[in-house]
Amino acid sequence: MLIPCPHCGPRTHEEFTYLGDATPRRPDPADPAVETAFFEYAYIRVNPAGPHRELWFHAAGCHAWLVVERDTRTHTITGAAPAGRTESSS
Amino acid sequence: MARRYSIFRLVGEALRGHRRWEPAWRDPEPKPSYDVIVVGGGGHGLATAYYLAKNHGLRNVAVLEKGWIGSGNVGRNTTIIRSNYLLPGNIPFYEWSMQLWEGLEQDLNYNSMVSQRGVLNLFHSDSQRDAFVRRGNAMRLHGVDGEFLGRDDVRKLIPMADFDNARFPIRGGLLQRRGGTARHDAVAWGFARAADRLGVDILQNCEVVGIRRERGAVVGVDTTRGFIASRRVGLACAGNTSRVAALAGLRLPIESHVLQAFVSEGLKPLLPCVVTFGAGHFYISQSDKGGLVFGGSIDMYNSYAQRGNLPTVEEVCEEGVALFPCLSRVRVLRSWGGIMDMSMDGSPIIDRTPVDGLYLNAGWCYGGFKATPASGWCFAHLLATDQPYVAATAYRLDRFATGRLIDERGAGAQPNLH
Amino acid sequence: MAEHDLAWVPGRFGRPHGTPGLRVHELTDVALASIVARRGQATAAATAAERSFGCRLPDRARVELGHDIAFLWVGPGQWLAVTGLATTDLESRLAGPFAGVAAVVDQSGGRVMLELEGPRVRDVLAKGFSIDLDPRVFTAGRVAATLVAHLHVQLWQVDDAPRYRILVVRTYFASFWRWLGSSAAEFGGEVLESRRYVHTAPAAATQSCP
Amino acid sequence: MSDPSQSARLAAGGLLDRNDVRRFRFDGREFLGYAGDTLASALVANGVRLLGRSFKYHRPRGLLSAGPEEPNALVELRTGARREPNTRATGIELYDGLEAASQNRWPSLHFDVNAVNGLFSSIFVAGFYYKTFMWPASFWEKVYEPLIRRAAGLGKPPLEPDPDQYDKAWLHCDVLVIGGGPTGLAAALAAARAGARVVIADEDFVLGGRALAERLTIDDKPSARWAHDVVAELRSMPDVRVMPRTTVFGAYDGMYGAVERVNDHVAQPPDFEPRQRVWRIVARQAVLAAGAIERPLTFGDNDRPGVMLAGAVRSYLNRFAVRPGRRAVVFTDNDDGWSTAADLLVAGADVAAVVDARNPETVRELARQWPGVESIAGVVTRAHGGHGVREVEVRTHARATHRIPCDLLATSGGWTPTLHLTSHRGARPRFDATRAMFVPGDVAAGLIVAGAANGEFALADALESGHRAGVTAAAAVGCTRAVPAPPAGERESTRGESLWRVRNCRGKSFVDFQNDVTTTDVELAEREGFRSVEHLKRYTTLGMATDQGKTSNVTGLALMAERTSRSIEATGVTAFRPPYTPVTMGALAGHHRGRDFRPTRLPPSHAWAARRGAVFMETGPWLRAQWFPQVGDQDWFVPTCREVLAVRTGVGVCDVSTLGKIDVQGPDAGAFLDRLYANVMSSLAVGRVRYGIMLREDGFVMDDGTAARLAPDRFVITTTTAHAVKVYQHMHFCHQVLWPALDVQFVSVTDQWAQYAVAGPRSRELLRRVLDPACDISNAAFPYMAAGPIALRDGQRGRLFRISFSGELAYEVAVPARGGEALMEALFEAGRDLGVLPYGLEALNVMRIEKGHMTANELNGQTTAHDLGLERMLSGKKDFVGATLARRAHLVDPARPRLVGLRPIDPRARIAGGMHFVPRGAERIAANDQGHVTSVGYSPSLQQWIGLGLLARGPERHGEHVLACDPLRGTETLVEIGSTVFVDPEGARLRG
Ligand SMILES: Cc1cc2nc3c(=O)[nH]c(=O)nc-3n(C[C@H](O)[C@H](O)[C@H](O)COP(=O)(O)OP(=O)(O)OC[C@H]3O[C@@H](n4cnc5c(N)ncnc54)[C@H](O)[C@@H]3O)c2cc1C
Ligand SMILES: NC(=O)c1ccc[n+]([C@@H]2O[C@H](COP(=O)([O-])OP(=O)(O)OC[C@H]3O[C@@H](n4cnc5c(N)ncnc54)[C@H](O)[C@@H]3O)[C@@H](O)[C@H]2O)c1
Ligand SMILES: Cc1cc2nc3c(=O)[nH]c(=O)nc-3n(C[C@H](O)[C@H](O)[C@H](O)COP(=O)(O)O)c2cc1C
Ligand SMILES: [Zn+2]
C-alpha cells in the first residue's frame, strides 16, 4: 500500500507503524465513570468492514502521526491528514 | 444415512466404479426453527455442532454458513497443532484440544491426517532460551510433553538450517513431539460429516444478516435464506465476528487483521517437523503432498480483504531463506490470506454475551486451528449447559474490564502485536 | 580518515572493468543539529534563520542553502542543520538565533554522510529507495527521509549530475554499507578518498531562498 | 529415440541462431540445440517425447504446451547447490552446458516402479485417503504417512545454501504494460508515443507473444518481424523500458510485483550479477495484455506424450522450427485446429485428419476453406501408445469409429483469457455466456485489460484493443500527444464451440494433468456433495499443482456445472492468487539473507571491543560485547567473574550506548514527562537525575529509565535498549495525538552519544584522569544522581551522569559518538595502573541482579508496577498514561506473582532462568505453580548463584524456602526467598 503522507508524498506502508482505529478519544480522567471509559478506550473497537479512520506513524519519514482513511475491504486509501494538530506553526 | 468409511468399503466401492458414494453431508432446506443455531461453518462452528449432538444430545441444530463450509480460516491456515502454551489460562485448554486431536479420526470416522511429527521452536539468544524454558516448564507442570534441545540436537533434526552464517545463530529449541499438523479442509469436512450423521443441518450459502431480539433476548436470525428461529445462537465466525456481533448491537475487544500463508511447489520430503524461527516470525512445515506450507506475521493493519500485500510476502521469504538457505531456489506456488479475529490480549473468548441467548466463540487470532476440537467441545458445553467447560473458564469476555488478561506475548492491548 | 568503524578502502569494488557505475566517498567533519520549532513558532523560526543565516527554513521536503549552512527539512516543524565542523559546536551556534522559537540539539556524532554519483547511481539507489528518483520527479534540492534495506536514511539530491548525499545512522552504517556494496556490485563501484564536508553557498536560483 | 542430429528440426525458419549451437544433457544424455531454443523445443528437435511422470499415477508424460501453462514437462534443472526442482522445460532458455533430469520416477523415466499406482488407480480416486488409513491409530505417523510422503512431492529440493545472489529494486512509471504480445506491443507503442513513461514486461525472453508463433502479418510484415521492429523502436525511446524475462507475478495495493530472470539463461550468473531480481513496480496505469491460454480436450488417455495443444504445435513449428511429429491428427472444437493443420503441412508433416467436434455442416464448410486438409466431423475418443501416441480412436458424429495411426495429436478446446492479475486484488472474473469464456470482472481502477486477455482473440482486434488501451492509459496520466493509427493485422477466424468433454470413451480422461484429476474424480466429488468449485478444487486437488490449473480450471468447473445442471456462471471459478507463475523465495528475499537478514547495529566501541577480542552477542538489532576473554579462559565463567570483581573492587568500563536517549525540551517538557512517566518528573532539580517508569495505557509497565534535567526546559531521558523505538513513537503519539497543546520538542539522540558506564570504587579516580581538571566531580560537587556537562582533557565536550546500574560508585559518561572510540582508548590508557577492565553484558547482568535492577526479563509486558515492587512510583496526584487501568483490581492483587530475590540453599547449586516455583514438598504440578525465575547469575561477590523471580505473594514470603524446578531439563533446587538486593542493600557504595 502507498500511504499519501501529506508531508512526504506517497510512501510504502512499510515506512509506517500502525496503531489502529483513530476514533476513540482518550477519556478525561475527571470523568466519573473513568474506569469504564478507559476500559472502552483501551479495549473496545467498532472494527468496521468498510471505511476506517486509523492512526499510522510515519516512522521512517517525517515522524508525523497521521489519520488515514482506508477501506478495510478494498484497502483503498481516500485520505491522510496529520493527527491532532496540523503543524507546529499553526 | 451416510455409511462408515473404511478400507473395505473403499475397495468395494472401487469395484463398483465409485457410483454408490453418498454425499458427505446433506444439503437440507432450513427448518423454521432450531434448538441451537451456530453461525459460521468453519472448524469451530462445525465442531460445536458435532459436540452439541454427540455430547449433549442436541440434534435439532443448524450450522449457518455464508459461503461454502471451510471457506474461512479453517481452509486457509498453516495447519499447525500444538499445546506448547505458556499461561495457565491457556495450557489446559490447548492440551485438551491436543488430546481430542489424538482420537479425532476414529471418533469422526474421517481421516483428517493428524500428524504428530513434532513442533520445534528455535531460540537464538539467552533470554529467549529462558523464555522457552519458562514455557516448557509450565507445560511440564501441566503434564504436557516438551523437550529442551541444544544446538547440536537441533542440528541433527534440521541439518539444512543455517548454523554457520546466520545473523541470529540458532542456539537451541523447544520441541513438542506430540505437536504437528492436520489436514485443514479434512477437519472441516470430517466434523461436518459426523455432525450431519447425528442430524445436524448444515446450511451453506446462508448468511446471517440480522439477529432478532425480543426483550433483550435472542429469538432468531435473519439470513439470506430467510428468518430462522432459535433462542440460542452461538457465533463462531472468526474474522467476521465483529460484523455479526454488531447485528446485535455489540462492540467487542477484537480487530480483524489479515494473515497470509504460502505454499511452495511440491518437493520430496525435506522437513521432518514443524519449525518456527525465533528471530522473526516464521513457521514452516511440509504437507503430505510435498508443498512447504509457511507463514509469518500478519500484515499489521485492519482488513477484511482476505488477501495481503507484497511487503509481507518478501519479509516472510527473507525469514524462510535466513532460516533455511537452501529454500532460496524453492519457488512459492501460491499465497493467500485469511481474516483473523485478533483479540486485545491475543487469547480467545468463549462466553455468554450481554445479550441473552447470544454466545460468543471468538478472538482466536492466528492460533485457532489447533483449538478446533476443544473449542467446539467447550462452546457446545456452554451452549448446552450455560456453564463454561472446565478447560475454558479463563476465556471470559469481562477479563478486559477486570484485568485478568491472558497475554502470552506481553504485547498489551494492541492486536497487531499479538 | 573515515569517521566510522569500517575499513574504508579506496578503490574499485564489484565489477572490475569499465567505468564504475557508482562513485562514493564519505564527507567527514560534518556538523549536524536538529531544529524543532516550538509550538506555533515554525514561521518565526524560519524568519530567525533568514536573519542569521541568509535563508529561510524550508517548509517542504527540500534543502535551503544559507551563507555557510544548509537546512534540510525532516518533518513538519523539524529540520536538520548541516555545515562543516568548526571549533564552536553547532548547537551553541544555533542556540542564540533560535532562542525561544526552536529547540536545537546537536547530532554531529550520530550520522555518517556519504556522497554518491556516477552513471548508474540512480539504478543503485532504486534497489532500496522506494521513492521515484526520476529527474522529472526528484530534483536537485529535494530531500527525503525514507527507508532503505530496513534502515532509516535521509537522502539529499545536490545537483543534476546527479549527485546525492545520504545521511545514515552511525550505528547502522556497517549494514548500510554492505547493502550499498552489494547493490552497486553489478555496475562496478569505486570508493574514493573521504573528503571534508565543505558548504557550497547558493549559486543558482533554484536553491536560494525565495 | 533421441538423435543428436536434431532430426525433427526444420531446415529453415524459426527465431533461432543456427550458428550458435548449444550442448545440453537431459537425463545424462547429450543433445544439441540452438540459441533461441527452450529446453522443450530442443528436446522436440531431438525427438525426445517422454519428459516426466505425473504426480499420483506416475503416468508417462510429454509436452502439452510451449508456455507457462505446462503441467507435464517439469524437470530438475542444474545440479548440486544450484538444483532447481519442478522447472518447466517450456520456460527454460537453452544455454550451453545445460543439465536437466526428469523427476518423480524411480529408477528411470522409462521404467518407473511407481507406475503400479496406475493399477490401483481405481482405489486412488479423489479424496480416497480421507476414507482410510485410520486403523490402527498409531499407524498413521509410523506407516501410512511416511509412505504417502515419500510417494508425494515432485522434485528433490536442494539441500545446500544457494550460491547465487538475488536483488530487489523499485521501478516507477506512468504505464506498465504486462505482456509483450501484439496487444502489449501496440499498447506500449501507443502510450510511449503519447508521451508516457512506459515499462513493458514479458516473461518470455523474446517479446512478441503469439506473433512469434503464428504465420500472420502485421502492417504487411510477418508478425514476428513486426514484433522485432516494434521492440527495437521501443528500446530506442528514452522513456521506455523493455523488460524481457520478466514476469509480473502479482497485483498488490499500490504496486505490482515482478521477477526478472536476469541470469537464468546462462549456466551460472557472471560475477557480481544477480540471478534474479524482484521489482516492485509503481505504475499509475497498467495494461494487462497477458494473452490467452488454450484448453486441452478431454477424452480417453488424453495425457499420452504426443498429445499437444494445437497452439503449442504452431509455436514449435513456426518459432522454434521443430516438428513435434511426422504424422499428425488435429482434434479441435474451433477454427484454430485448421490453421494448425495448415502450418503442419507447410512444415512438411502429414496431417492424417482434422477431427472437428462441431456439426458436420460447419466442418464441411471449413473443409472447403482449407483444401487439402482431410477432415472428420467427430471426436477423438482415445489415444494409444504408452510412451508416445501411436494411434488415435476417432468416432464420427455418425457413430463410425476409426483408428488413425499418428505420432502427434494436436488438440484445441478453445482459449481462456489470462485474467489472473485482475483477480489478485479481489475482483472475480465474469462469465460471458455468448462468447463462452471468463472475462475480467470489476477490475481495480488503473488497470485496463486488453487483447486476448480481454477475450479479443483475433489479431486485428487485439492490436486495436492494445492500441486503445495504451492511448487511454497515457491519457489518464495526462499524456495526450497525438498517436498514429493502430497497427493493422489479420482478423483470423476464432469461431468455436466448447466441447467440455468427449463422452463414452475408455481410458482415463484427464482434466488436471499434473495432479492426475480425471473426469471421474469430478463426478465423484459432485456425488459426495463437493459441488462448490472451491470444494471441487480442494477435494480433487484440481488446479492446485504447479501450473495452478492454467489448462484445467475452466474445464473442471464446466464439467461440474454440467453435472449439477447449473450454468457455468452460477458455478463460478476458483480464486486466482499470486504468484502468476511460481517465484523463488530467494528472489523475494533479495539481499536480506544470511548475515544480511537484518541490519546489525554496532555500538560506538565495537571496533575497540573487537580488537580486545570480545565475544559478542545479538541483542535485538545490536551486537554487544558479552565478555572479554583473556588468555586461558575456557568459557564465560572466568571472564565474567573477573569483570564483576573488577567493578566491585576497582573500576570497569562498559558501553551502554545502546540505551535509547531522547532529548526533551520546551516550556512544557516537565509537564509532558509527568504524563509519560508514572512518577513525577517536573519537580526534578536542574543537574539531577531521576529513575522513572512508564506504563502502557492498559496499566502494565512499558519501560523504565532515567530522566536528567539539564536546564529548566531541557531533559534527556533514557529508555531500555529493547524499547527505545517503541518509547520514541509512544512519545510522539502522546504529543501529537493526545496532548498537542503542550509546548514540547524532542528528538532521539541515541546515535549522537557514546555513553559508557565507568563503575567501581576507583571510577572517580579514573574519570578525573580523563576529565578537564576544571570539572569538579567530588562527592559534594557531583553527588549520587547528579548530571551535568563536562569537558574532557582532549577538549571534547560531553555529559556526565552519576547513576549506577552496578550498585557501585559509578558514572555514565557521554561524548558525541564520533569521539566514542577515542574516549574508550583514553579511559584504558589512563586506567592501566588502576587495573581497569572492560566489562560485557554478562557482568553487567550479574551486577544488576545483585542489586535487584530489572531488565526485559522482568519488564516483559505482563508485569505491573505492583508485581515489580514499584507501586509507590505510581503518582496519585496526576494523570499519566496507564494511571486509570493500572488500578484495576486484578492488577494490584497481592496474590499475583511479584518480584523477589532468591538464592539456592545449597551454595553450590545452580539455578536457571525459566525455572518455576512450587512450594517446598508440594507436588510438581500446575496447581502448585507459583511463578518463575526471571533472571539468574553467578555472583562472585556472594560466591553463589542468585536470581530474581516472580513469586505469588512474593514480598510476604521472604525467608521461605521454595522449590525452583526445571522439569524440562530434569533439575530442581531449593531456594530461599528474600530481598531483591543482594549486595550493599543500604546503597552506601553508590553514594560514596
Ligand atoms: C493464514 C493463516 C494461518 C493460520 N495458521 C494457523 C496455525 O498454523 N495453527 C492454528 O492453530 N491456527 C492457525 N490459524 C488460525 C485458524 O485458522 C483460525 O483461528 C480458526 O480456523 C478459526 O476458527 P474457524 O475454523 O471456525 O474459522 P473460519 O473457518 O473462519 O469459520 C468462520 C466461518 O464463519 C462464516 N461466517 C462469517 N460471517 C458469517 C455470517 N454472517 N453468516 C454465516 N456465516 C458467517 C465464514 O464464512 C466462515 O466460514 C491461521 C489462520 C490463517 C488465516
Ligand atoms: N485463434 C484464436 O482463437 C486465438 C485465441 C487467442 C489468441 N490468439 C492470438 O493471440 C494474439 C493475442 O495477442 P495478445 O498480445 O493479446 O496475447 P499474446 O498471447 O500474444 O501475448 C501475451 C504475452 O503476455 C506475456 N505474459 C502473460 N502473462 C504475463 C505476466 N504475468 N507477466 C509478464 N508477461 C506475461 C506472455 O509471455 C505473452 O508474450 C494474437 O496474435 C491472436 O492472433 C488467437
Ligand atoms: C495447508 C494448505 C496447503 C495448501 N496447499 C496448496 C497446494 O498445494 N496448491 C495450491 O494450489 N494451493 C494450496 N493451498 C491454498 C489453497 O489453494 C487456497 O489458496 C487457500 O485454501 C485459500 O483459499 P483461496 O485462495 O481460495 O482464498 C493450500 C492451503 C493450505 C491451507
Ligand atoms: Zn511523512
Side-chain angles (χ1 to χ4, degrees), chain A residues 7-8 10-12 14-15 58-64 85-90, chain C residues 37-43 73-78 130-131 144-147 152:
Chain A
H7 308 300
C8 307
R11 294 294 179 89
T12 165
E14 298 150 282
E15 293 194 355
H58 197 180
C62 62
H63 288 176
R85 62 174 181 177
T86 40
E87 214 246 270
S88 53
S89 62
S90 62
Chain C
R38 298 242 191 268
R39 194 168 75 88
Q41 300 292 320
T43 316
W73 184 92
V74 269
Q78 298 169 60
S130 63
I131 51 180
T146 186
L147 192 70
H152 297 192

Side-chain angles (χ1 to χ4, degrees), chain D residues 178-184 201-204 208-211 214 216 246-249 289-292 314 336 415 418 421 450-453 457-459 462 492-494 580:
Chain D
I178 303 162
T183 308
D202 196 298
E203 65 178 337
D204 206 330
R210 293 299 305 167
E214 309 284 6
L216 293 169
T246 303
T247 307
V248 179
F249 62 77
R314 299 200 299 278
D336 244 22
W415 296 72
T418 306
L421 287 144
F457 289 156
L459 178 61
E492 73 274 36
S493 166
T494 59
Y580 169 65

Side-chain angles (χ1 to χ4, degrees), chain B residues 71-400:
Chain B
S71 55
N73 293 343
V74 71
R76 45 188 77 237
N77 69 83
T78 45
T79 78
I80 301 169
I81 61 174
R82 57 184 175 88
S83 58
N84 57 1
Y85 277 72
L86 168 71
L87 298 176
N90 277 331
I91 304 178
F93 172 83
Y94 286 101
E95 176 57 17
W96 174 229
S97 206
M98 200 67 232
Q99 288 172 17
L100 289 172
W101 282 117
E102 287 172 331
L104 194 68
E105 282 136 352
Q106 289 68 30
D107 189 24
L108 298 183
N109 179 231
Y110 205 88
N111 187 356
S112 39
M113 302 187 183
V114 175
S115 167
Q116 293 182 287
R117 58 182 71 176
V119 172
L120 173 63
N121 303 134
L122 299 175
F123 60 79
H124 310 260
S125 70
D126 291 355
S127 56
Q128 217 174 16
R129 176 200 60 212
D130 290 355
F132 274 131
V133 169
R134 174 188 173 196
R135 184 205 293 217
N137 281 327
M139 289 156 58
R140 295 290 290 261
L141 291 173
H142 278 88
V144 176
D145 72 307
E147 286 166 50
F148 182 87
L149 302 190
R151 185 184 139 97
D152 294 341
D153 307 323
V154 171
R155 194 164 194 159
K156 267 180 230 132
L157 210 55
I158 46 167
M160 57 293 189
D162 190 350
F163 289 90
D164 306 314
N165 187 40
R167 169 71 181 83
F168 299 102
I170 296 167
R171 301 195 194 272
L174 178 66
L175 174 65
Q176 186 186 24
R177 287 197 195 268
R178 284 167 63 245
T181 58
R183 171 86 183 122
H184 53 292
D185 291 329
V187 172
W189 300 339
F191 273 115
R193 177 169 169 273
D196 177 89
R197 282 165 56 122
L198 295 175
V200 169
D201 280 359
I202 294 167
L203 306 173
Q204 303 188 80
N205 301 310
C206 183
E207 178 171 358
V208 172
V209 294
I211 299 178
R212 280 201 211 167
R213 286 158 289 161
E214 278 171 18
R215 286 184 296 277
V218 169
V219 294
V221 293
D222 291 304
T223 77
T224 45
R225 295 174 74 173
F227 174 75
I228 308 176
S230 180
R231 296 197 168 269
R232 268 177 213 207
V233 175
L235 303 187
C237 348
N240 281 295
T241 304
S242 294
R243 301 171 74 176
V244 183
L247 300 173
L250 297 180
R251 291 180 310 141
L252 299 172
I254 286 175
E255 282 181 8
S256 294
H257 285 261
V258 62
L259 176 69
Q260 301 193 57
F262 306 82
V263 63
S264 77
E265 295 179 335
L267 299 167
K268 291 296 177 197
L270 173 71
L271 287 180
C273 58
V274 181
V275 184
T276 73
F277 184 38
H281 196 164
F282 178 81
Y283 35 91
I284 186 166
S285 67
Q286 190 166 16
S287 81
D288 285 338
K289 246 172 72 194
L292 298 170
V293 176
F294 55 96
S297 63
I298 57 180
D299 270 24
M300 292 314 230
Y301 42 80
N302 287 41
S303 175
Y304 284 95
Q306 240 183 34
R307 66 190 172 81
N309 268 310
L310 186 54
T312 306
V313 177
E314 294 182 16
E315 177 148 336
V316 168
C317 290
E318 287 170 12
E319 294 180 300
V321 175
L323 176 58
F324 293 115
C326 64
L327 293 190
S328 172
R329 301 185 88 85
V330 168
R331 284 180 286 251
V332 177
L333 168 63
R334 188 174 172 100
S335 62
W336 61 94
I339 301 305
M340 276 128 346
D341 37 341
M342 299 297 294
S343 70
M344 288 283 167
D345 63 356
S347 293
I349 300 159
I350 304 180
D351 204 354
R352 289 183 283 259
T353 70
V355 177
D356 262 0
L358 187 63
Y359 297 79
L360 187 62
N361 173 321
W364 293 98
C365 301
Y366 44 83
F369 177 67
K370 65 179 81 67
T372 305
S375 168
W377 181 289
C378 298
F379 199 36
H381 190 275
L382 177 71
L383 281 164
T385 67
D386 226 23
Q387 295 300 318
Y389 186 70
V390 284
T393 48
Y395 296 153
R396 298 179 55 150
L397 182 55
D398 68 1
R399 68 176 187 270
F400 302 92

Side-chain angles (χ1 to χ4, degrees), chain D residues 177-396:
Chain D
V177 179
I178 303 162
T183 308
L185 290 173
L189 202 56
R193 286 172 171 169
R197 269 166 90 188
V198 174
V199 171
I200 175 166
D202 196 298
E203 65 178 337
D204 206 330
F205 54 96
V206 186
L207 273 74
R210 293 299 305 167
L212 311 178
E214 309 284 6
R215 291 183 304 116
L216 293 169
T217 48
I218 306 176
D219 283 351
D220 300 325
K221 299 179 200 174
S223 54
R225 179 79 230 169
W226 174 84
H228 177 270
D229 292 351
V230 171
V231 170
E233 179 172 354
L234 288 170
R235 283 190 197 279
S236 73
M237 301 169 86
D239 275 336
V240 177
R241 180 168 193 140
V242 179
M243 302 180 75
R245 303 188 177 102
T246 303
T247 307
V248 179
F249 62 77
Y252 299 92
D253 294 309
M255 65 186 81
Y256 292 85
V259 60
E260 180 185 8
R261 284 168 293 277
V262 187
N263 277 305
D264 274 352
H265 59 295
V266 290
Q268 66 183 63
D271 285 350
F272 308 111
E273 284 192 27
R275 176 188 170 214
Q276 300 177 343
R277 171 154 43 225
V278 161
W279 291 93
R280 290 182 176 187
I281 305 179
V282 179
R284 296 166 71 194
Q285 293 284 317
V287 176
L288 181 66
I293 292 171
E294 199 171 15
R295 292 186 297 270
L297 286 165
T298 313
F299 54 91
D301 295 329
N302 56 342
D303 65 328
R304 297 296 184 206
V307 179
M308 196 182 272
L309 291 170
V313 169
R314 299 200 299 278
S315 293
Y316 287 118
L317 294 171
N318 300 326
R319 173 172 173 185
F320 299 107
V322 292
R323 196 174 44 218
R326 286 173 196 283
R327 184 179 158 79
V329 170
V330 178
F331 179 23
T332 187
D333 64 5
N334 64 80
D335 292 359
D336 244 22
W338 296 80
S339 58
T340 310
D343 287 10
L344 279 161
L345 290 171
V346 168
D350 293 338
V351 178
V354 172
V355 182
D356 191 322
R358 287 173 289 179
N359 64 52
E361 264 134 78
T362 309
V363 178
R364 263 197 302 278
E365 180 204 317
L366 282 158
R368 274 194 298 277
Q369 282 174 34
W370 300 88
V373 178
E374 280 296 318
S375 64
I376 299 174
V379 292
V380 172
T381 52
R382 195 169 187 189
H384 290 279
H387 290 180
V389 190
R390 276 183 282 102
E391 61 175 15
V392 296
E393 284 178 37
V394 173
R395 185 174 63 221
T396 65

